[in-house]
Amino acid sequence: MKVGIDIGASTIKIGSLNLKTKAGHFKKLGQYFILTGIPTDDDFRKTGQSVARLIKEIFGQPEKVVVGCFGPLELKKKKILKAPNRSSWSGADFHLWEDYLGAEILLENDANLAIYGEAKVGAGKGFGIVSGFTLGSGIGYGLIINGHIYHGNWDVEAGHMILDPQGPLCGCGQRGCLEAYISAKAIKQRFGQEPAQLENEKAWDWIASKIAQGIQIITTVTKPDLFVLTGGIARRKGLLQKVQKHYQTLLRIYPKEATKTKIALGKYIEHAGVIGAIELPF
Ligand SMILES: [Zn+2]
């Protein structure tokens, strides 16, 4: 039995195709059973123990567990290299969680899993090359080539592409990163409201223009068949249309509409990461 875990800076989602008891407050999305809202505690050990207990109670003893986590990560060593939004987890080693779970863990970048989930069973199903952003507290990026996650020789971090070297300071230390403009925190700093409360259409048009700039750059470098937007911010009504409008204006190198990359909203949005973790072969 396989379990997928998606670790966010504040909450964790756990999912599987199997269920041991119907007593838990799980969500049913298609064939997936998903537990949401499990708090990410500052204490890495304590969080691992709670997660392991919940999995054994609700889903049963797992054989394999795929974990998606914020990074940057050292995937092969199953370690978090640096955790800017949860600093006490910097250097955390998931071998410890393997002991709690009694199962082997495959560690993967959370954004890679979200875009993998969308590529395999969501909005990108049937497309060969699928790229995408996860729009949330950070800006994650994933590239799936014919069913395989592209890793580069280290973590791919397109959320930190520099749009303007004189731009706002990013949590990563660079200036003018895409994330420094459109992460939930950056939006709040600039417009004075959380993205969920922000009703200023001009502000959303500006946010869409930055997202489109990011997609234009990625299109010229990787030319995916589909670019998918996931993460809570992607749910904003009308955002996709605004992004498409700016993208059409920015991208001129491909002459015909048909030759441009399609942009779509994810099917599973904030659940894409945990579904990707369930679906990733391991
Ligand atoms: Zn950055």
Side-chain angles (χ1 to χ4, degrees):
M1 200 268 289
K2 197 171 124 206
V3 167
I5 304 177
D6 181 27
I7 303 174
S10 54
T11 63
I12 297 170
K13 297 183 184 78
I14 307 173
S16 181
L17 293 168
N18 308 82
L19 205 60
K20 184 180 163 193
T21 168
K22 292 200 169 172
H25 293 283
F26 58 84
K27 210 185 249 287
K28 181 105 195 313
L29 269 183
Q31 56 187 328
Y32 310 102
F33 298 101
I34 299 169
L35 278 176
T36 61
I38 301 139
T40 310
D41 193 275
D42 259 339
D43 187 331
F44 177 73
R45 286 168 182 262
K46 215 170 104 186
T47 309
Q49 285 160 350
S50 318
V51 164
R53 196 171 48 243
L54 272 171
I55 288 175
K56 288 174 191 178
E57 266 173 36
I58 311 276
F59 301 106
Q61 174 60 47
E63 282 141 26
K64 304 216 158 176
V65 179
V66 175
V67 175
C69 189
F70 43 79
L73 307 166
E74 244 187 309
L75 297 178
K76 286 198 179 119
K77 291 189 177 168
K78 307 184 191 185
K79 278 178 84 168
I80 302 176
L81 211 60
K82 206 169 123 185
N85 295 323
R86 180 62 69 179
S87 52
S88 58
W89 283 40
S90 289
D93 186 340
F94 281 95
H95 285 101
L96 200 65
W97 283 32
E98 287 184 330
D99 294 340
Y100 303 148
L101 287 159
E104 203 185 336
I105 284 178
L106 175 73
L107 183 63
E108 184 51 87
N109 172 298
D110 53 357
N112 282 346
L113 284 180
I115 306 308
Y116 180 82
E118 289 292 348
K120 179 134 189 235
V121 293
K125 199 176 165 184
F127 290 88
I129 304 172
V130 180
S131 222
F133 286 139
T134 57
L135 307 171
S137 51
I139 305 303
Y141 170 75
L143 171 60
I144 313 302
I145 303 173
N146 300 321
H148 298 280
I149 296 173
Y150 175 78
H151 284 107
N153 73 343
W154 197 250
D155 253 2
V156 175
E157 291 284 354
H160 298 275
M161 64 168 77
I162 294 175
L163 300 185
D164 176 3
Q166 317 298 329
L169 188 64
C170 183
C172 73
Q174 300 180 163
R175 279 196 173 275
C177 294
L178 179 62
E179 180 166 310
Y181 290 101
I182 59 159
S183 70
K185 194 174 142 198
I187 290 173
K188 196 184 170 195
Q189 266 173 4
R190 185 172 290 262
F191 298 108
Q193 278 171 311
E194 297 285 348
Q197 270 79 52
L198 184 64
E199 288 300 334
N200 177 349
E201 284 305 320
K202 268 197 180 155
W204 282 107
D205 193 63
W206 183 89
I207 293 161
S209 74
K210 296 295 174 195
I211 298 171
Q213 204 180 336
I215 301 174
Q216 192 277 343
I217 292 169
I218 284 164
T219 301
T220 58
V221 178
T222 65
K223 194 58 185 80
D225 294 307
L226 182 80
F227 199 97
V228 65
L229 297 176
T230 71
I233 293 172
R235 279 205 188 279
R236 168 71 197 182
K237 201 167 163 263
L239 180 67
L240 176 68
Q241 290 71 25
K242 286 185 172 67
V243 171
Q244 285 166 332
K245 179 195 78 183
H246 284 287
Y247 177 74
Q248 296 302 336
T249 310
L250 287 170
L251 188 74
R252 298 291 175 90
I253 187 75
Y254 303 104
K256 292 185 208 148
E257 281 310 295
T259 60
K260 293 187 180 181
T261 290
K262 288 189 182 69
I263 306 172
L265 196 60
K267 180 178 175 187
Y268 293 109
I269 311 278
E270 53 273 84
H271 297 102
V274 69
I275 289 172
I278 300 167
E279 288 289 341
L280 190 73
F282 174 37

